[in-house]
Amino acid sequence: MTSVHFSFSSAFTLGLMGLAFHRTHLLSALLCLEGMMLSLFIALSLWALQLQTIMFSAAPMLLLAFSACEASAGLALLVATARTHGTDHLQNLNLLQC
Amino acid sequence: CFLAWMGLEINTMAIIPLMAQQHHPRATEAATKYFLTQATAAAMILFASTTNAWITGDWNIPQTSHPAATSLLTLALALKIGLAPMHFWLPEVLQGLNLTTGLILSTWQKLAPFILIYQIAPNTNPTILTSMGILSTLIGGWGGLNQTQLRKILAYSSIAHLGWMITILHFMPALTLLNLTIYIIMTSTMFLSLKSLSATKINSLAITWPKTPILTVMTMLSLLSLGGLPPLTGFMPKWLILQELTKQNLPILATIMAMSALLSLFFYLR
């Protein structure tokens, strides 16, 4: 495993751990999601550069567009949660427990 | 591979406003939880295929050959459809939605990840698949025992059915598709009959006799079919799956799955 591969894998894994173990704020989960998307973007760009082909060059841009859409959807949901629940603390998201 | 990821993302983003349409706090919370889990799963899928591309230079999902990449891909797809051990979001999210949106969530949303699972089926680690399948059937059976809310019962039943489907994936993928089709039909029947009865708890199901006895009978029949009793359609996939499992000399596995089907049958009959 080359060092580049290791770096973006570790970046993704760190973001994933942050997303899985977020404790107080919903916003940190969204930030971790964005970090993961960013590491994927870097990975795709470097891969397209390494292969020296033109075929996959549009892929990182598409990924960026989609992750921007995803982030905006997440932020809209955050706003909706703040409107109905009052804050974005995760302890407040407990209406659906058995 | 990239198109698959985009399709999944578009699917997620299209469903989210449908879920958050009710301005009830429960619906918003359900939409948020669903969004987080699905986005995580989609990112993991992309990451798995990217690592596979780095290591083997192959960018096609049906040809992921690196074992770590396929395991990660399987885990991510399981998170997407709600298999154990990544099933924790499903009962809560299904609870917070109204019945129509819940119907879409249980049936249509399972189609796209299942197509991907079916495509990567020859390469996956059979241990992971079968262990997730057994775990799903067991958790689906046990978790639904203490529920009174109908939507959570349907959530646990979907977990159990998905467990059945995943278990047979390694041996005969055609059975998985058959089970999926029958499951979709049965679940849509359940959801639609519940919607016309406007029932969300077991108690409200009990008072539907005076209103529409025919519909109540149909609901009972479809529940029994979901449970998998012999004269009804639901029995067919279970029987075929068990037959296939015994052909492959795995009688213990078949026994465990039959036992857990009994568990889910119990809470259907309530």
Side-chain angles (χ1 to χ4, degrees), chain A residues 5 8 12 19 26 36 44 47 50 56 59 62-63 66 70 74 77 80-81 85 93-98, chain B residues 2 5-6 9-10 13 25-26 28-29 31-33 35 39-40 43 46-47 51 53-55 59 92 152:
Chain A
H5 189 196
F8 76 76
F12 186 84
L19 184 58
L26 196 59
M36 280 158 56
L44 269 185
W47 189 67
Q50 256 197 356
F56 295 112
L62 280 178
L63 191 147
F66 267 93
E70 196 89 29
L77 277 177
T81 318
H85 286 265
L93 292 178
N94 55 1
L95 287 176
L96 297 171
Q97 305 292 338
C98 336
Chain B
F2 199 64
W5 176 74
M6 284 203 290
E9 293 269 296
I10 295 179
M13 283 197 286
R26 274 211 298 259
T28 319
E29 181 183 334
T32 321
K33 286 189 183 169
F35 165 74
T40 320
L46 198 58
F47 178 63
T51 34
W54 269 90
I55 294 183
W59 193 231
E92 296 175 358
K152 283 202 179 147

Side-chain angles (χ1 to χ4, degrees), chain B residues 155-219:
Chain B
Y156 282 108
S157 88
S158 87
I159 296 176
H161 281 276
L162 290 173
W164 277 85
M165 287 184 234
I166 286 295
T167 319
I168 201 58
L169 186 68
H170 187 68
F171 303 114
M172 187 191 277
L175 269 182
T176 313
L177 290 182
L178 175 70
N179 202 353
L180 183 68
T181 324
I182 294 185
Y183 162 72
I184 286 182
I185 297 178
M186 291 194 297
T187 321
S188 353
T189 318
M190 266 315 292
F191 266 104
L192 287 173
S193 45
L194 285 181
K195 171 116 182 123
S196 54
L197 289 175
S198 305
T200 48
K201 302 194 226 269
I202 289 193
N203 298 339
S204 23
L205 258 191
I207 59 172
T208 53
W209 275 108
K211 282 200 281 187
T212 44
I214 298 184
L215 196 54
T216 317
V217 167
M218 263 176 36
T219 318

Side-chain angles (χ1 to χ4, degrees), chain A residues 14-95:
Chain A
L14 276 177
L16 191 63
M17 290 296 126
L19 184 58
F21 298 125
H22 60 282
R23 275 188 304 169
T24 46
H25 282 280
L26 196 59
L27 194 56
S28 60
L30 291 177
L31 278 175
C32 287
L33 192 65
E34 279 311 292
M36 280 158 56
M37 290 294 179
L38 190 63
S39 72
L40 283 176
F41 171 72
I42 293 180
L44 269 185
S45 318
L46 288 175
W47 189 67
L49 272 179
Q50 256 197 356
L51 280 193
Q52 307 274 344
T53 59
I54 310 186
M55 185 158 58
F56 295 112
S57 299
M61 290 309 295
L62 280 178
L63 191 147
L64 210 55
F66 267 93
S67 73
C69 288
E70 196 89 29
S72 57
L75 280 176
L77 277 177
L78 185 71
V79 165
T81 318
R83 246 202 232 163
T84 57
H85 286 265
T87 110
D88 70 336
H89 279 236
L90 286 171
Q91 282 91 8
N92 277 9
L93 292 178
N94 55 1
L95 287 176

